[in-house]
Amino acid sequence: MIHALLEAFIGLAAGLAVGTGFVAFLTVLGIIPRLMQLSRSTNRIRFYETAVILGTFAGIYLSFGDEAILLPDLFIAVWGLLHGVFIGMLAAALTEVLNVFPLLTKRIGMDGQLILLMMAIVLGKISGSLFHWIIFVR
């Protein structure tokens, strides 16, 4: 009995720590306000809040649920695309906050060629992902 209570307490504490860290990460980077600013949709703040909350609960359910969900390949492809967009937005927000790419272009001597560097990174990421999914995942 005490073992089960200890496991429940540790799980709750770990979940709170991870959740708090995730919210702090989103808040510090300002992803949602920046997304609203870029898309000119600041009047839809409730939609963004609801989407984040529902997405969090869906992720929790899918991570800890025991049932398997069989979906068509097209839906899985769209799901993967949305995951990629989210990770890309996180990476872009982090690099925007830290000014990584302008500093990198100055350090390696590519002052006027930021677009070229960005395209190389994007195409490399796409090529690597396609290689991974086509060759290694079957």
Side-chain angles (χ1 to χ4, degrees):
M1 177 67 176
I2 191 94
H3 186 61
L5 287 173
L6 184 62
E7 283 182 1
F9 177 74
I10 290 172
L12 181 64
L16 286 173
V18 169
T20 304
F22 180 70
V23 168
F25 188 66
L26 287 177
T27 304
V28 166
L29 292 179
I31 290 174
I32 295 174
R34 181 73 174 139
L35 181 64
M36 289 188 306
Q37 180 185 18
L38 289 174
S39 64
R40 294 185 179 100
S41 60
T42 53
N43 57 343
R44 295 192 174 123
I45 190 166
R46 294 283 181 212
F47 174 75
Y48 285 101
E49 291 172 348
T50 305
V52 169
I53 291 168
L54 290 177
T56 302
F57 282 128
I60 291 168
Y61 179 75
L62 292 173
S63 294
F64 294 111
D66 289 334
E67 13 348 283
I69 301 173
L70 301 175
L71 300 170
D73 288 343
L74 181 63
F75 187 81
I76 301 266
V78 171
W79 187 271
L81 179 69
L82 293 175
H83 277 263
V85 167
F86 177 73
I87 297 300
M89 285 176 49
L90 277 177
L94 185 58
T95 56
E96 184 177 327
V97 166
L98 299 178
N99 260 347
V100 170
F101 291 120
L103 291 174
L104 179 65
T105 55
K106 286 181 184 177
R107 298 266 188 214
I108 63 175
M110 294 179 64
D111 285 337
Q113 300 173 337
L114 180 61
I115 298 293
L116 184 65
L117 178 68
M118 295 299 293
M119 289 308 295
I121 291 171
V122 167
L123 293 174
K125 181 69 176 165
I126 291 170
S127 308
S129 295
L130 288 174
F131 180 78
H132 173 77
W133 286 103
I134 292 171
I135 303 298
F136 291 118
V137 178
R138 290 187 184 259

